[in-house]
Amino acid sequence: MCIDLSLLKNFVTILLLSCGASLAEVPPVSDYCARLQQEIQGKKHGFLAGNVTYYVGGFHASWDQKESETLGLTHPFHHDLRSRGVGLKQSHAARHDDTGLGNDFSGWEFYKDTHVLYGSVIVGDRTYPHPVPRRMVWRPDRMICEYEMDGIRLREEKFIASNDAACSIITAAQPVTLRFVGQSFFGRHSVTSTATGQYVAERNAIHLVEGGTTKCQPETDRSEQIGPIMYQGMSTVIAASRDFATNHRFTTGEQGQVEYEFEVPCDSQGVVLVWAMDDEYQRAISHATELLGKQVQQTSETVSDSQAPHSFQHQAAREALLAKTHEMNRQLNEQIPWFRCSDRKFEDVYYYLWSLYLMYYVDVQRGWEMEPHTQTAVNNFLGMHRYDATFQIDVGAWTGDKSHYAYGNVLTWKHLFESGQYRRSQNGVIALPDNKGTTWHSGVYGNELSEHVLGAWKIYQHTGDVGFLRDCYEGYFREVFQGRIAPFFSNQFEVAAVLIAMARLTGHVEDVDQWQRLVPLEAGQVRAWFDQRWQANGHKNFFAGPKSGMLMTTGFWHLRSKYFPREYATKMVESWAIDNEKGFYGEIFPLAMSRQAMNQFASKVDHSFGYTPDTAYFVLSGLFRQRLGDPAWQLALNHLENYNFNSEWGLPVAPEAYTRDGKLFGDQYSNFNAGKILLYLEGFAGLEYSIPERRLVVHDTMPKVWEWMEVRLPIQMPGEQDVSWPVIRYERSSSNGETVKTVRVTDCPLQVTVEPWTEGKQIIRAEAPPAGMVGPTVSRFPDYTTYRFEDGVPTAEVRLQLRPISNDE
């Protein structure tokens, strides 16, 4: 389907204006769905997302292709977090931790057992079973598959509509018959099936009522039990735009599952297939038939274009597909910071990671799932994870509509605490389960919640919403940390300071003394804490090295604390980060374990997860936090280029991990990579802003290999209807051994401070508009100078002329 880009731009511009942005401020509109499209046949499986409906096309075991995508809808599945896996079994609190209803330590990848519509092509007396696409394209809004058999070409577009129905539009260059087979849910863990099926003539649809039992592991001891399947009692509807009343049949499988088969004609007018699933049959059938229009072609014979009724043009399905494209483009244009740089490859990685982050949003509105939030994955580790949220919360803080894209990433965890689903240690540390759904939690506990506090504070800084802060503090953070603030790699000092600020802002000044007692913030005591752990256990120039000698990247994570001594950070990076003999520098930076430690420790898991996206984010963000200049941008670009861009394919990728020998591993569309978005905004661009304090600070570490970079931020000021899009532009040029660097901020509703990175060079000339500027002043960071501008200045610009520092200077 061809989309008129000018019409798309007009449509998105109208959407932006309707949300309060003035025309002059709206960034240039792009068709990001088209820009991000990838040819993935033989490389990745397909992936599509709705709200609680998802689609996986084909099956790859990790990155090893086991099943090719084919005509139809192979693996659509419903996942509203009612279960963690394939079972819906109540745990027994008397025996183990009460993990509720739906926890399952097995069957996470149940999508691969959904066999819904596998198509074959019939031409005359010849059948082509389950043809493999000669070309398969992925986009955030759809998949496009192209097939060819003996010169006959078919085209298929698959998408998930706004009503959560999965849809396939198939056209053929010449008349053919399509045969589809599938079955009710019955997986490798299933024991029995009680599913029923029938043909609904007035809707030309198959109606299945799912049911049966399955092996599952609801208890924390991983004991195997038998319980209902997660789809128990749900209705599945499969419908088509062409009548198959006389061309369908049902059979019963060996285990009682319902097997079905039907045939429909297909030609240049095409055929639409729809799958929908819901607890209520009427909702499922309504969602399915919405995409088919009011009529169904009541013949199995091929008709000419001129004879086809209007509904046979599949207008409803086409409109739903166009609406899907518009919505994904709206989010990528309106809801995230606009980013451009002189290397398009890194732009594509940026928008690819954002597209996955947005695609994973889910809004269930039931049980412990009352807020919209992102997820890490939906086809292995299901839902959101407490640990992953430590950076996913921060990413949400940079979105436009934070009440939708940010608040829930924090507040969804509050339900577990309110319902008593936590553990309290003897020393007062409260730990929450690592994963949850509507009525279940994993029973595996951890205490990274202190990092959630910092993420919530960033959201407040980007909104000024005291109401959100109160929801976080009262009945949650205030109680969780009253016994002890468990540190997450030296973050306890910042967390204590934030809790003090939260107490004052929410009217609980009586709490201030408590937070000050738990974590003393006197400068001398803080420094002594770091000094005691520097070069611990004989590990030279390393922080908090363990007695075992297993040096992990976690030592670098402490650099994310603003209290971490910078001189320690410099020594640590020089000694370990860029060392490829004993340190962490590998084919991709960083290795999860130092090469020195690898010689002593080795396991299959360590090999499989040789490089992981979370470790990279925590290491690299620390380098940027310490403003370490060259090592920060060089190692960050190294990671993004080698981890998130496949040079052989020329495509952005988001794997869950790489093996030590550099092979792709794990989930293929992993939101475990979300933290890398922050490397662009907070690292390269060096952006910080606070609406309560009405300030924007720009302290870049723009890569020297880039000529320019530009960011536009969606900022909603309290009490104002318009959305502002301040432009932050960075430019760099070199000539005759000298460098000219310019940082310019325009149309910003906040007071601007510019701290340009001097790249370790000498400033021989600095230019800035004299009107409205306060400064310059010396920054506490080497290679940075502070230029502060008065509030209301329309353009804040600093231009530096730099030259290398000679040995004599």
Side-chain angles (χ1 to χ4, degrees):
M1 177 178 169
C2 182
I3 297 176
D4 189 325
L5 186 57
S6 63
L7 293 176
L8 175 68
K9 290 183 176 180
N10 291 337
F11 181 86
V12 177
T13 300
I14 292 170
L15 285 174
L16 291 169
L17 291 172
S18 69
C19 295
S22 67
L23 184 60
E25 296 170 326
V26 174
V29 174
S30 296
D31 184 353
Y32 289 112
C33 289
R35 174 171 177 169
L36 291 173
Q37 74 176 29
Q38 303 182 355
E39 164 56 68
I40 63 170
Q41 177 58 31
K43 305 178 181 77
K44 307 181 191 180
H45 61 70
F47 173 64
L48 297 170
N51 181 31
V52 296
T53 292
Y54 304 91
Y55 182 78
V56 174
F59 168 54
H60 287 228
S62 187
W63 288 75
D64 183 13
Q65 185 174 12
K66 299 296 185 181
E67 174 192 85
S68 294
E69 174 66 312
T70 191
L71 276 168
L73 297 167
T74 54
H75 302 296
F77 59 102
H78 180 96
H79 174 49
D80 62 0
L81 294 166
R82 69 182 60 198
S83 173
R84 193 188 189 197
V86 74
L88 202 59
K89 179 79 171 177
Q90 179 72 47
S91 68
H92 300 286
R95 294 173 50 193
H96 306 283
D97 279 352
D98 183 1
T99 59
L101 175 65
N103 183 48
D104 187 0
F105 285 102
S106 65
W108 295 343
E109 297 181 330
F110 66 83
Y111 79 90
K112 67 180 74 168
D113 293 327
T114 59
H115 299 281
V116 176
L117 287 174
Y118 281 69
S120 298
V121 181
I122 303 173
V123 183
D125 58 357
R126 185 169 183 182
T127 299
Y128 299 86
H130 312 324
V132 175
R134 66 179 182 87
R135 184 169 181 264
M136 182 163 71
V137 172
W138 174 91
R139 298 165 35 134
D141 60 330
R142 73 184 78 175
M143 288 167 52
I144 303 169
C145 296
E146 297 176 357
Y147 310 86
E148 185 170 355
M149 291 136 290
D150 287 343
I152 302 173
R153 294 191 174 188
L154 287 84
R155 176 182 171 88
E156 180 179 31
E157 292 179 284
K158 312 185 190 199
F159 68 99
I160 298 176
S162 61
N163 66 3
D164 257 357
C167 183
S168 169
I169 304 173
I170 305 172
T171 55
Q174 63 188 68
V176 298
T177 298
L178 304 181
R179 176 184 297 149
F180 294 97
V181 297
Q183 66 175 36
S184 61
F185 182 82
F186 193 88
R188 65 203 64 198
H189 299 284
S190 293
V191 178
T192 64
S193 174
T194 59
T196 61
Q198 62 176 323
Y199 175 72
V200 183
E202 64 271 20
R203 300 298 186 98
N204 190 46
I206 290 173
H207 174 209
L208 305 174
V209 178
E210 305 281 359
T213 59
T214 183
K215 298 174 184 177
C216 56
Q217 298 176 12
E219 311 289 358
T220 54
D221 68 351
R222 315 296 171 94
S223 59
E224 189 172 88
Q225 301 180 33
I226 305 297
I229 63 169
M230 71 296 186
Y231 287 160
Q232 186 67 31
M234 294 189 71
S235 283
T236 297
V237 170
I238 297 165
S241 61
R242 290 201 174 184
D243 182 52
F244 58 88
T246 59
N247 291 296
H248 74 271
R249 67 188 181 97
F250 292 95
T251 56
T252 301
E254 292 182 0
Q255 305 299 325
Q257 69 269 37
V258 176
E259 299 174 337
Y260 48 86
E261 176 183 313
F262 65 88
E263 294 180 2
V264 290
C266 183
D267 51 24
S268 61
Q269 291 300 306
V271 62
V272 175
L273 307 173
V274 186
W275 172 96
M277 196 171 197
D278 200 278
D279 288 306
E280 300 294 332
Y281 165 68
Q282 288 301 328
R283 280 200 298 263
I285 192 69
S286 175
H287 291 164
T289 54
E290 278 178 20
L291 302 184
L292 299 178
K294 295 181 179 180
Q295 301 180 42
V296 173
Q297 178 66 15
Q298 297 295 320
T299 177
S300 59
E301 297 178 1
T302 302
V303 295
S304 67
D305 293 0
S306 60
Q307 294 174 319
H310 180 66
S311 65
F312 202 43
Q313 302 294 330
H314 313 313
Q315 180 177 350
R318 293 287 182 188
E319 288 178 351
L321 176 55
L322 184 60
K324 178 73 172 190
T325 303
H326 285 163
E327 174 56 21
M328 288 307 304
N329 274 321
R330 183 194 69 81
Q331 293 180 32
L332 291 166
N333 278 280
E334 175 186 345
Q335 293 298 336
I336 67 172
W338 187 90
F339 175 81
R340 295 290 187 273
C341 69
S342 56
D343 192 332
R344 184 182 174 94
K345 170 174 54 185
F346 292 99
E347 294 178 12
D348 290 343
V349 170
Y350 173 83
Y351 280 101
Y352 180 67
L353 296 181
W354 265 118
S355 71
L356 297 182
Y357 182 85
L358 295 171
M359 288 174 72
Y360 277 118
Y361 266 80
V362 63
D363 190 5
V364 177
Q365 293 297 312
R366 189 170 68 252
W368 296 333
E369 290 289 326
M370 295 304 294
E371 298 85 12
H373 61 76
T374 192
Q375 303 172 91
T376 296
V378 294
N379 60 332
N380 53 18
F381 285 100
L382 307 180
M384 195 178 195
H385 289 252
R386 181 201 62 246
Y387 168 78
D388 305 2
T390 58
F391 46 84
Q392 291 166 348
I393 289 170
D394 279 32
V395 174
W398 290 94
T399 57
D401 182 1
K402 296 172 186 62
S403 63
H404 182 80
Y405 294 103
Y407 292 5
N409 293 333
V410 181
L411 293 174
T412 190
W413 301 99
K414 184 177 180 179
H415 299 292
L416 292 177
F417 180 73
E418 289 179 324
S419 59
Q421 307 300 319
Y422 60 85
R423 279 183 175 177
R424 187 190 299 272
S425 67
Q426 291 183 347
N427 63 357
V429 175
I430 285 181
L432 291 186
D434 78 323
N435 189 207
K436 70 173 183 67
T438 55
T439 57
W440 60 269
H441 67 79
S442 65
V444 179
Y445 298 86
N447 54 18
E448 302 94 352
L449 286 180
S450 58
E451 195 70 12
H452 291 204
V453 174
L454 300 182
W457 183 249
K458 185 175 292 182
I459 294 170
Y460 166 71
Q461 291 295 318
H462 290 188
T463 61
D465 189 344
V466 177
F468 163 73
L469 209 61
R470 182 172 288 109
D471 288 341
C472 294
Y473 188 74
E474 295 177 353
Y476 189 28
F477 293 159
R478 188 185 188 205
E479 286 75 15
V480 166
F481 299 104
Q482 64 181 354
R484 183 168 179 259
I485 299 175
F488 182 77
F489 301 96
S490 302
N491 74 349
Q492 67 269 29
F493 306 107
E494 286 180 89
V495 172
V498 165
L499 289 172
I500 288 170
M502 286 184 176
R504 288 173 173 154
L505 285 165
T506 57
H508 296 285
V509 292
E510 68 276 11
D511 296 348
V512 171
D513 288 344
Q514 170 187 245
W515 305 129
Q516 290 175 335
R517 285 195 305 272
L518 287 176
V519 181
L521 295 175
E522 290 79 6
Q525 290 178 285
V526 174
R527 177 59 190 245
W529 191 90
F530 284 101
D531 289 346
Q532 290 168 7
R533 290 156 179 79
W534 177 243
Q535 301 189 136
N537 298 308
H539 300 295
K540 186 177 180 181
N541 292 333
F542 201 82
F543 186 78
K547 292 180 180 179
S548 67
M550 184 183 285
L551 300 186
M552 308 291 288
T553 53
T554 50
F556 285 92
W557 298 11
H558 300 271
L559 275 64
R560 299 173 65 246
S561 169
K562 70 177 183 180
Y563 297 95
F564 192 90
R566 193 175 186 276
E567 64 269 28
Y568 292 171
T570 301
K571 292 178 181 178
M572 194 168 171
V573 169
E574 290 175 350
S575 298
W576 292 95
I578 56 180
D579 187 294
N580 61 3
E581 293 184 2
K582 72 175 189 300
F584 293 86
Y585 194 90
E587 182 177 334
I588 308 167
F589 178 84
L591 282 159
M593 184 187 297
S594 73
R595 292 187 182 276
Q596 175 178 297
M598 283 183 196
N599 295 329
Q600 184 178 355
F601 303 95
S603 71
K604 186 176 181 179
V605 171
D606 288 333
H607 179 82
S608 298
F609 291 89
Y611 304 89
T612 59
D614 59 317
T615 57
Y617 162 69
F618 285 125
V619 170
L620 293 166
S621 63
L623 271 58
F624 283 116
R625 184 71 181 267
Q626 297 294 327
R627 301 200 198 177
L628 294 181
D630 283 334
W633 74 259
Q634 288 171 347
L635 294 174
L637 281 193
N638 168 279
H639 177 83
L640 291 169
E641 185 169 20
N642 291 289
Y643 193 105
N644 291 113
F645 191 86
N646 188 297
S647 58
E648 178 184 353
W649 301 339
L651 302 176
V653 292
E656 183 182 358
Y658 283 82
T659 62
R660 281 186 185 173
D661 52 3
K663 294 180 180 178
L664 293 157
F665 184 78
D667 186 17
Q668 296 187 351
Y669 297 84
S670 177
N671 200 25
F672 209 22
N673 287 270
K676 265 79 81 70
I677 293 170
L678 301 170
L679 300 180
Y680 286 82
L681 301 172
E682 300 176 5
F684 301 141
L687 299 176
E688 297 178 30
Y689 76 94
S690 171
I691 285 180
E693 299 174 18
R694 295 189 61 86
R695 62 175 176 83
L696 169 70
V697 180
V698 183
H699 51 79
D700 77 286
T701 310
M702 185 174 80
K704 292 179 182 177
V705 293
W706 291 358
E707 297 174 356
W708 59 271
M709 175 174 67
E710 185 171 309
V711 180
R712 305 188 185 193
L713 295 177
I715 295 179
Q716 179 77 58
M717 297 298 290
E720 295 186 9
Q721 189 174 9
D722 290 349
V723 175
S724 298
W725 288 85
V727 179
I728 304 96
R729 174 85 178 182
Y730 313 75
E731 297 175 352
R732 184 183 187 279
S733 62
S734 297
S735 179
N736 298 322
E738 294 185 353
T739 299
V740 175
K741 185 169 185 177
T742 304
V743 179
R744 180 171 57 254
V745 182
T746 56
D747 299 324
C748 185
L750 307 170
Q751 185 181 38
V752 176
T753 297
V754 178
E755 296 185 351
W757 177 42
T758 63
E759 304 180 357
K761 300 175 181 177
Q762 178 185 6
I763 300 175
I764 58 177
R765 182 180 178 86
E767 298 178 2
M773 189 185 79
V774 181
T777 58
V778 177
S779 170
R780 71 184 183 90
F781 292 97
D783 301 329
Y784 287 86
T785 302
T786 302
Y787 300 83
R788 186 171 292 107
F789 295 81
E790 294 177 355
D791 198 2
V793 174
T795 300
E797 179 177 321
V798 177
R799 184 175 184 272
L800 301 180
Q801 191 172 348
L802 308 169
R803 71 179 177 194
I805 299 174
S806 68
N807 294 331
D808 298 331
E809 294 177 287

